[in-house]
Amino acid sequence: MSPLPLPLPAGPEPACACAAGRPAASSVPDGAAGRFGPTHALILQTVFLVLGSGLFLAGTELDTVLVLLGGCGAIGAATLAAAGGGRRLMAVLVETAVRSGAGK
């Protein structure tokens, strides 16, 4: 059995007149897209609690669980600092990491 061919449109589709000259509407209020609020913090705390508990109950050593969760937290903090325009904070953190790695 061969698949049935789909009919092709007769011509180009007409442009939507509803969006002509207007920017797309957003459901997020201005300035709220980049905020890290208490709801986000609660969600992250819950996720870390569940992830750490799951790893521990699966038989992972506690030291390994703490290192993994600490690494995830460090990556998350660095991402939030970089995305939030915290370039000065990032520079201080990188400088501190380099100095501690060099033993100064």
Side-chain angles (χ1 to χ4, degrees):
M1 256 175 96
S2 66
L4 296 174
L6 296 174
L8 296 175
E13 294 292 320
C16 177
C18 61
R22 285 188 305 181
S26 175
S27 62
V28 177
D30 290 340
R35 285 196 200 134
F36 181 77
T39 304
H40 298 103
L42 178 64
I43 291 170
L44 285 176
Q45 288 176 353
T46 305
V47 167
F48 273 75
L49 175 67
V50 170
L51 181 62
S53 299
L55 286 171
F56 183 72
L57 291 175
T60 309
E61 294 181 13
L62 186 59
D63 292 341
T64 306
V65 171
L66 294 176
V67 168
L68 288 172
L69 294 180
C72 288
I75 291 170
T79 303
L80 283 175
R87 291 188 180 101
R88 184 173 179 194
L89 173 65
M90 287 296 295
V92 169
L93 290 175
V94 168
E95 181 180 349
T96 304
V98 169
R99 286 185 180 194
S100 68
K104 292 183 179 181

